[in-house]
Amino acid sequence: MNVISFKKPTNIFLGLFSFLLAMSLSSTTLQAQEDGEKLFKSYCASCHSPGANQLVGPGLAGVYDKYEREWLYKWIKNSSALIATGDAQAISVYEQYNKVIMPAQPVTNVQIDAILDYLKVYAEAAPVVAVVVPPTVVVEDEGMSGYAIAGIVVLFLILIILLRKVQYIFTAAKAREAGEDMPEETTMTQALGLTISQNKTIFALMGIVCLALFAKGGWDSAFGVGVYQGYEPEQPIKFSHELHAGTNGIDCNYCHNSASYSKSAGIPSPNLCMNCHTYIQEGPQYGKEEIGKIYAALDFDPVTKTYGPNQKPIKWVKVHNLPDHVYFNHSQHVAIGKIACEKCHGPVETYTVGKQYAELTMGWCINCHRETKVQMADNGYYDEIHNRLPEELKKQYLEDGTITVSELGGIECAKCHY
Ligand code: HEC
Ligand code: HEC
Ligand code: HEC
Ligand code: HEC
Ligand code: HEC
Ligand code: HEC
């Protein structure tokens, strides 16, 4: 790059502009490092600690040295596929950890590199104590917003005009000293026009960079808002899925049975809790305190086992919140699509507090619709439709099973947006 001299006032802009550009670029690299942590928390932290502790899966400290990078890519992206190829190392890892399948992770090699880099940084920062980092609310960092960029552009333009004026005053003063004719004063727009026409390439470049940043800022703020992956708000009663669905093995459908026949999975009413808690009056961790809150809501007397008139609802805090303009239907996915709750909600039987496992972004829905094949065989929902299909399509749909949700129209805007 040329050494910038400040003789020409416009060179000052160049200097300032390169400085700002450099700033925004360096903040992008910083962001790349943070991404590793974010990705880890989004995809891996529900099962792995970044240190040595075992959660659902083993602690990941040191895996970057323990295995070949290529092997890690394959393992993380689809461990069961790797095991199926007969890969000895994969089989041994699988057997070592009680044959629990690690689900395929929707991450790219670049994202895996970022995660492994984060694990390294984490291990160096905390070499001895392995702390389990609980996933907290991931509020998307929007970076430099479109508005900030627009502001900078406007400031630049004002600066250009001002510096033109200063330049004019100097030339005018010189002209007067030399006894020459006064130069013509330029108006604001002329000043701007002159600067631009004298530095066409620079301004064209500036324009392109600003547009790109603008587009990125706009895109990020449109699609980044409302991403609350890992969100786990405090609840009015310390209800634990780990204790109920995990330790005591209560089926999801016992409490969320509407998931299989209606749009919403629903939160169970306190009356359902009473099927068991009429008798189970003390818990292992909180004694009578938390279960007592169910009784308070129902105005229930645990001694006489009678209900009073002053009943009030339990105000559970909703964990998952899709925007109003999105249509999502549980039964379509659970009953017809035959997708397990865990696929979208993670290992719920290990949660002590309800939390949001998936991103719940449009990309998340659409990626799955692109990848997932529709389960048509033995699916009552499709029988009637199939009877109307031409023979060759029937073969493709039923025997080959190669139709993805997106091929059936699952990525059409109107399917998900009212
Ligand atoms: C739903 C739980 C779950 C999630 C999410 C998960 N894993 Fe795993 N992972 C496991 C289990 C369980 C094992 C143990 C191996 C087995 O039983 O197949 C494992 C094993 C591993 C291993 C081998 C560790 C060793 O010491 O041999 C690596 C590496 C790994 N996971 C990386 C990741 C990364 C990176 C992510 C996030 C992108 C991730 N996992 C997400 C459950 C999970
Ligand atoms: C004993 C009843 C019970 C069982 C069994 C149960 N849940 Fe729940 N579930 C609840 C209650 C109560 C809440 C609300 C409190 C909370 O969010 O933790 C809840 C909340 C949830 C939420 C978050 C809802 C929101 O606010 O967005 C999900 C997801 C969920 N359960 C999935 C499951 C899955 C999957 C299973 C099976 C592995 C399961 N539940 C088993 C009672 C139950
Ligand atoms: C199918 C039976 C069943 C249902 C339904 C049920 N629970 Fe439980 N609950 C249990 C069992 C079993 C325990 C553990 C008792 C023990 O280990 O001593 C428990 C314990 C608890 C505890 C005590 C936690 C502690 O560590 O002190 C709370 C709080 C609780 N349940 C809340 C609820 C709520 C709220 C509902 C309704 C949404 C509910 N339960 C529905 C079976 C049930
Ligand atoms: C294809 C992904 C997917 C599957 C499979 C799935 N859910 Fe959900 N679940 C969601 C989404 C998305 C939301 C948020 C819905 C909203 O805000 O309107 C949600 C919300 C919930 C809620 C909060 C209450 C509600 O209805 O909004 C509960 C409870 C729940 N799911 C339980 C379950 C259970 C139990 C299963 C398995 C029987 C299950 N889910 C299967 C994606 C899924
Ligand atoms: C884990 C994979 C998965 C995820 C995640 C998922 N879906 Fe689906 N979705 C399916 C499958 C499989 C079907 C097809 C079910 C069937 O056979 O009708 C489907 C079908 C649908 C349909 C009906 C499409 C049609 O052509 O009739 C809608 C609408 C839909 N999904 C909305 C959503 C929304 C909104 C989200 C995100 C909040 C979402 N889905 C996330 C797997 C998924
Ligand atoms: C499979 C379901 C699905 C399909 C198909 C889909 N969307 Fe979305 N869309 C979503 C979900 C879920 C969100 C909410 C994402 C969030 O809150 O982060 C969303 C959000 C959006 C938003 C952002 C609004 C906001 O609140 O920030 C726009 C714009 C949008 N969709 C447009 C489209 C267009 C255009 C199409 C067709 C090309 C389309 N969508 C198809 C599920 C879908």
Side-chain angles (χ1 to χ4, degrees), residues 222-223 225 322-323 325-326 360 362 365 369 410-413 416-417:
F223 291 96
V225 285
L322 278 179
H325 56 76
V326 180
L360 253 60
M362 183 161 132
C365 313
H369 286 185
I411 59 175
E412 282 163 24
C413 316
C416 302
H417 293 293

Side-chain angles (χ1 to χ4, degrees), residues 327-328 332-333 339 343 364-365 368-369 374 382 405 415:
Y327 174 79
F328 177 84
Q332 178 104 39
H333 291 88
I339 298 177
K343 182 92 190 169
W364 175 72
C365 313
C368 185
H369 286 185
V374 178
Y382 286 107
V405 183
K415 289 277 169 72

Side-chain angles (χ1 to χ4, degrees), residues 398-411:
L398 282 170
E399 288 164 30
D400 306 347
T402 50
I403 298 295
T404 60
V405 183
S406 83
E407 285 167 307
L408 273 195
I411 59 175

Side-chain angles (χ1 to χ4, degrees), residues 10 32 40 52 66-67 116 141 170 173 332 341 352 359 378 383:
T10 43
F40 177 82
K66 194 161 142 200
Y67 303 111
L116 294 172
D141 180 335
F170 276 116
Q332 178 104 39
C341 315
T352 48
E359 288 171 45
D378 301 323
D383 288 351

